[in-house]
Every structure is written in C-alpha cells, then in structure tokens.
Amino acid sequence: MNLATVSGVEERLARLEGKLEDLAGVILRLEKQVSSLAGAAALSGPAPEEAAPEAAGPEPVSLAAQLPAQGTVLNLLTRLGTSCLVLGGAFLVRALTDSGTLQRPLGVGLGLAYAVAWIVLGERSAARGRSTSGSFLAITAVIIAYPLVVETSTRPGLAVFAPSGAAVILALLTIFCLVVAWRRDLELFAWSSLVAAVAASFVLALVKAEVEPFAAALLAIGLATLWLAYSPKPWRGLRWPAAAAADLFVLWTALKLAPSGPSAPESRPSLSLFLLLAFALPFLYLGSFAVRTLARRRSVVLFDVVQGIAALAVGYGGAALVVRYIKDAQPTLGASAVLIAAGCYGVAFVFVGRRQEQRRNFLFYATLALLLTLAGSALWVRGTALGLFWCVLAATAAALGTYFERGTLAVHGVAYTLAAALQAGFFAASFDALFSSVARPWTPFAAPGLAVLATSLLAYVLLAREKEDVRKMTWQIPRIALAAVAALGAGGFAVAELKASTGSDPGALAALRTGVLAAAALLLAAGRRRTGLAELAWLAYAVLVLGAGKLLLEDLPEGRPATLFVAFVLYGGALLAVPRLLRRAPTPPPEEPGPTAA
C-alpha cells in the first residue's frame, strides 16, 4: 500500500471521528433537554437554556420552548383549582351553619372572616411578586363576601343584618379591598370589588326598600376612590363609576322621599338622613377638590368639573324637591347656597385669581359661584323681588368687573341680566311688541321688565368704560349681549307705548315697527361713531337685516299704500344714513392706565 492510499484512509477516518463527536454532542443535548422537560412544564415555561458547546451543524430546537401555551394553561388551571378549594371552604362553613352546627350569626361572621383572610393571603402573595395568584385569591374572596352580605340581609326569616348594618359592612369591606388592591397594584381586584359593591347595594336597596343607608355607603366608597386618584400612584378610572353611583343613589333617595303635593306629610322618618346626604354629597366632593386645588396647588381636571356640577345639582336640587312643601325650608336652603357661592367668589378672586398659572381653577370656582348664586337665590327670594335681586347682582358684577378689570365678572353680569329678563317676562313682552299680531293680547311690560331694561343699559355703560381691553372678545361678547338686550327691550317698549296710536290697523302697526327699527339702527350707528365700540356697528347692521326681512314678511302683506310709503321712506333713510355714520366712526380711544387687579 503506497503512501497516498494510507494518507487518504487517515483523512477519511479523521472526518468520521469528527462526525461521531458531533453526533455525541447532539445526543447529549437532547438528553439534557428531555430530562428538564418535566421541570419546565411544572414551572409554566421553558427551562433556562444550557450553554452548549460549539458544534458544527444546526442548533436543535428545545422541546420545552415549543410548549409555552401549555405552561399558561397549567398556570391557569392551578389558579382555578386554588379558587375552587377556597370556595369549597366557604361552602363548608355554609353547610355547618345551615345544619345548625354553627349558630347563624356565628356562621355568617365566620364566613366574612374567611373571605377577609383570603384577601389578606392574596395581598401577601402579591407582595412576594405573584400578582396573578394574589388577584385570583382576592377576587375569589369577593365572590364569597358580597353575595353572603346580600343573602344574610334579604333571606326571609333568616336575615342577620339590618339595612344599615349591611351598608356599613359593604362600605368597610369595599374600602378595605380598594386599599389592598392599591397597595399591590391589583387593579382587576379593585374593579371587581367596586362593581360587586354597587350591585349589592342596588339589590339590597330594591329588596329592603331603604335607599339611604346604601347611598351613604356608596358616598364613602366614592370618596375613597377619589383620594386614591390623588395618591402618589393615582388610580383615576375608579372614581368615575363610584361618583356616578353615589349621585344616582342620592337622587333615588330624593325621588323616593319627594312629596306628591301640599297634602303630603311635612316630615318623614328618613328625611333627616336624606338631608344629611344631600348636603354631604356636594360638601365632601367640593371640599376634596378645594384641598387638592388650593392646598396642593393642583389644576382642576375634567372629573372635578363634571362631578362638582353633578353633586350640586343632585344635592341641592334633590333637597329642594323634597322640602318644597315644608314651610321656610327652601329659603333656608337657598340662603345657604348663596353663602357658599360668596365663599366660591372669594376663593376665585382673592386666592386663585392672583396665580396666573391656575386659570382653570379660577374659572372652576367662579362658575360654581355663579351657578350657586342663581340656584340659591331662586330658592331664597320669591316673586318680583327675585328679578330685582338679579338686576342688582348684574349691575354690581358689571361695576366690579370694570373696576378690577375682570372679564369673568362682566360675563357674570350678562348671566344675571339674562336670568332677570327670563324671570320678569322681558323677552316675551319684547317679542310680542315687535313681532306678534295686533289681534292677539301681548305680554305687558311690567316694572320688573323695565328694571331689566335699565339694568342692561347701565351694565353696558359700565363695561363700555373699560379702556385697556376694549377690543378683546372677553369684553366685546358681554357688551354685545347687553347691547342686544337693551336694544330689544327699548324697541319693544317703544312699540308697546305707541301701539294705541295705530288702533287695530295691522298696516299702521307694521309701519310703526319699521320706524322703530330704523331709529334703533340710527342710534346704534351714532353710538358707534361717538364711542368707537365695534359691537354697536354689528348690531346696527343686524337691525337693518331684520328690517329688510320684516318689510318682506309683514309690511308688504299687511300694509296699504300710505303705510308702505312711510315704511319704505323710513327704512330707506336708515339704509342711507347708517353707512355714512359708520364710515365717520373714529378709532377706539387710547388706552388709559386703570386700577390694578385685586
């Protein structure tokens, strides 16, 4: 055998030995993976990968890595099995109680303690990093506890808890669950306890026909969720359904207690508790908002606005509904609302108004003050005096808005003016005079309506004195609203006073109205020329447009040649004069330094 042949055989033997070594390495790795498969399945996932020696050829696929879904299923089955064992223990306590081995109160207490114990065990499990296991245990405890409270409060002849006791247990249990869930980030557990509490409260209130205790429980739960939202790790979602449930239950209580008429009894056993709830709802929520926005200097958020208005509407509105036939109750309620409104005004303009970075907080408290003043004064003051009271508030707001350069107060002045106009029948009288047929009776201009007319003129003059922000929309919108109210009222009053000169002739009345509109357009244009206020020009053009429509819809169908002659001459003269007056209008007056804002 020559040397070349020997060399070739040795090379083939060397390659064969290398392949055998590779095969041995593959078999060794497969053995290690197969041996670790049982442990990997028990741990609900693949075992850690072993460091494999370098080898030529493809890396084999781990069999355990191909079974992640199996690990998840095993984990879920384990949790469900644990929950079944927990539920089995609860049914054991139930069986001992039903058989008489345990007295019913003792058995119920033991069942609640059993549920609380599993909540604690779930919290400890979550503290060790097993959040899924903790959630399963805690939610299982919820499934045990809340139906137990409902059953032991509603079961005929075997009820253990009175409605008030059941409400206390629901409130304490739910707040405990919320705190545990918040500490360990078990949000699903928190939602399940909140939903269970609302559902249990609804069933108990419906079956026991007592809503007040459960309204109080849900109010406490709502406040707990609110302060969890203010915590360093805020949970903001829970406060919305909790607040809605508290509002609805307080409203349900109001509708349940509201008398059907003057003959209804003036007091009921649960009236005092309802009034406590009706006042507590807005006071506790608004007090929490005040602590957050004033003490912590945080900005108002959407929840504060929505729930603040809802709490005021449900609390004060429900109380006014319930006590509407109790002597002197509504005025007292209204006076308290006005006092709270004064406090909101003070907070807005004295404390928050000085911090420019808290604009939303200022608007929030100022709007609450406006709403409380309108609602409270409507309960406090009656009849004609109410419109006059709102007129005084409108003039005061306009004067203070000008003095302190506060556009918000100007807007409030407009709101009070409009409220006074609606209460006095001002708009009905003005529209009847300007647009109604001569054949039907018109709403008369009474003293409150004339007071509204005078107030709108006075408020407009006060706001027109503002120089610094004369061209800003913050001031132009309130001024144009007041000018429109004044123009409408003045025109309607003029037509109503001159109606006697036209008799029952519809054509003469139409010509009179056209003449009043033409005069109004001229006066507005002259005011624009003298003051330079743009909103007067806008109103002058609006009156001209209104006059054109009136000529087509009223004068032409109703008029005679003589009355049409007068109407077209007056309107045509206004069309010629108004543009000339507006073209000669000067520029707005120069700015003058005003007093500093308070």
Side-chain angles (χ1 to χ4, degrees):
M1 185 178 294
N2 54 27
L3 293 176
T5 303
V6 173
S7 177
V9 171
E10 291 176 350
E11 291 177 359
R12 286 194 293 273
L13 289 174
R15 289 196 296 270
L16 182 60
E17 290 175 358
K19 292 181 179 180
L20 290 174
E21 291 175 357
D22 294 341
L23 182 60
V26 170
I27 292 173
L28 179 61
R29 290 195 297 274
L30 287 174
E31 289 177 351
K32 291 180 178 180
Q33 291 167 355
V34 171
S35 63
S36 64
L37 178 58
L43 294 174
S44 304
E49 294 183 359
E50 299 287 344
E54 295 183 1
E59 186 74 19
V61 179
S62 172
L63 295 178
Q66 298 178 9
L67 300 172
Q70 180 179 343
T72 303
V73 171
L74 290 175
N75 190 16
L76 178 61
L77 292 176
T78 301
R79 305 292 177 252
L80 291 176
T82 304
S83 298
C84 288
L85 291 176
V86 174
L87 291 173
F91 280 110
L92 174 62
V93 175
R94 168 69 179 272
L96 293 174
T97 303
D98 289 344
S99 65
T101 305
L102 295 175
Q103 294 295 324
R104 179 161 294 277
L106 178 61
V108 172
L110 184 60
L112 289 175
Y114 180 78
V116 171
W118 281 108
I119 293 174
V120 174
L121 290 176
E123 188 269 343
R124 299 314 306 158
S125 179
R128 291 191 291 269
R130 297 197 292 269
S131 298
T132 304
S133 176
S135 294
F136 266 86
L137 292 176
I139 293 173
T140 304
V142 168
I143 297 173
I144 295 172
Y146 287 91
L148 177 62
V149 174
V150 172
E151 183 182 9
T152 54
S153 302
T154 58
R155 194 171 180 181
L158 299 175
V160 176
F161 299 119
S164 57
V168 170
I169 292 174
L170 287 178
L172 293 178
L173 178 62
T174 307
I175 293 173
F176 174 69
C177 292
L178 291 173
V179 172
V180 169
W182 174 79
R183 287 189 61 194
R184 301 305 177 193
D185 276 333
L186 305 177
E187 192 167 1
L188 183 59
F189 170 46
W191 278 100
S192 65
S193 62
L194 178 60
V195 171
V198 174
S201 298
F202 178 78
V203 172
L204 288 170
L206 200 62
V207 173
K208 305 299 290 185
E210 291 190 34
V211 188
E212 299 89 337
F214 305 103
L218 290 174
L219 177 58
I221 294 170
L223 291 172
T225 60
L226 176 64
W227 282 98
L228 287 181
Y230 294 162
S231 62
K233 49 177 184 180
W235 279 7
R236 297 186 177 91
L238 291 169
R239 58 184 173 177
W240 287 95
D247 295 340
L248 290 175
F249 268 68
V250 174
L251 180 60
W252 184 3
T253 306
L255 296 176
K256 176 176 173 287
L257 293 176
S260 58
S263 60
E266 294 189 354
S267 63
R268 297 188 180 187
S270 55
L271 180 60
S272 58
L273 177 57
F274 165 73
L275 292 178
L276 178 62
L277 289 173
F279 285 114
L281 179 65
F283 270 83
L284 292 176
Y285 269 103
L286 293 178
S288 300
F289 300 156
V291 170
R292 179 177 178 271
T293 55
L294 299 178
R296 297 188 178 185
R297 297 192 176 186
R298 303 290 179 83
S299 295
V300 169
V301 295
L302 178 62
F303 176 82
D304 301 344
V305 177
V306 174
Q307 178 56 16
I309 295 174
L312 286 173
V314 171
Y316 272 93
L321 181 67
V322 169
V323 303
R324 69 185 186 274
Y325 296 119
I326 299 178
K327 185 179 180 181
D328 297 330
Q330 284 196 341
T332 304
L333 189 65
S336 66
V338 173
L339 287 177
I340 298 172
C344 290
Y345 269 124
V347 169
F349 288 96
V350 177
F351 295 101
V352 183
R354 296 180 179 179
R355 303 171 187 151
Q356 295 300 322
E357 71 276 5
Q358 294 188 345
R359 176 69 176 169
R360 284 189 296 176
N361 294 4
F362 171 80
L363 292 176
F364 173 69
Y365 286 108
T367 304
L368 282 183
L370 173 64
L371 296 177
L372 279 170
T373 302
L374 290 172
S377 56
L379 296 173
W380 182 25
V381 186
R382 300 299 180 133
T384 304
L386 177 60
L388 298 177
F389 179 70
W390 281 336
C391 287
V392 172
L393 291 179
T396 304
L400 293 177
T402 301
Y403 183 78
F404 292 115
E405 298 177 359
R406 288 289 189 182
T408 304
L409 283 175
V411 174
H412 288 199
V414 173
Y416 292 130
T417 302
L418 295 177
L422 289 172
Q423 197 275 337
F426 174 84
F427 291 117
S430 300
F431 276 95
D432 280 348
L434 291 174
F435 303 108
S436 291
S437 170
V438 70
R440 64 180 294 269
W442 294 356
T443 304
F445 275 90
L450 297 178
V452 171
L453 175 59
T455 300
S456 60
L457 288 170
L458 175 60
Y460 180 80
V461 171
L462 290 171
L463 296 184
R465 296 175 57 197
E466 173 59 42
K467 304 299 182 184
E468 182 178 352
D469 297 319
V470 70
R471 293 185 235 184
K472 289 187 177 180
M473 295 300 292
T474 306
W475 294 95
Q476 284 182 335
I477 292 176
R479 286 201 306 264
I480 196 172
L482 290 170
V485 171
L488 178 66
F493 181 70
V495 172
E497 289 298 307
L498 297 173
K499 177 188 176 184
S501 63
T502 65
S504 59
D505 184 0
L509 177 62
L512 172 62
R513 288 169 170 170
T514 302
V516 169
L517 291 177
L522 289 172
L523 289 175
L524 290 169
R528 159 64 175 167
R529 179 180 180 182
R530 183 174 179 82
T531 62
L533 297 172
E535 64 271 4
L536 296 180
W538 303 339
L539 283 176
Y541 285 125
V543 170
L544 290 178
V545 172
L546 181 63
K550 181 191 166 303
L551 281 174
L552 295 175
L553 298 177
E554 184 183 23
D555 290 74
L556 287 176
E558 301 288 346
R560 307 186 314 274
T563 59
L564 289 174
F565 166 75
V566 175
F568 276 92
V569 167
L570 293 175
Y571 182 72
L575 287 177
L576 293 174
V578 168
R580 296 194 179 200
L581 289 172
L582 295 179
R583 279 198 298 268
R584 297 177 184 176
T587 57
E591 294 182 0
E592 296 179 4
T596 58

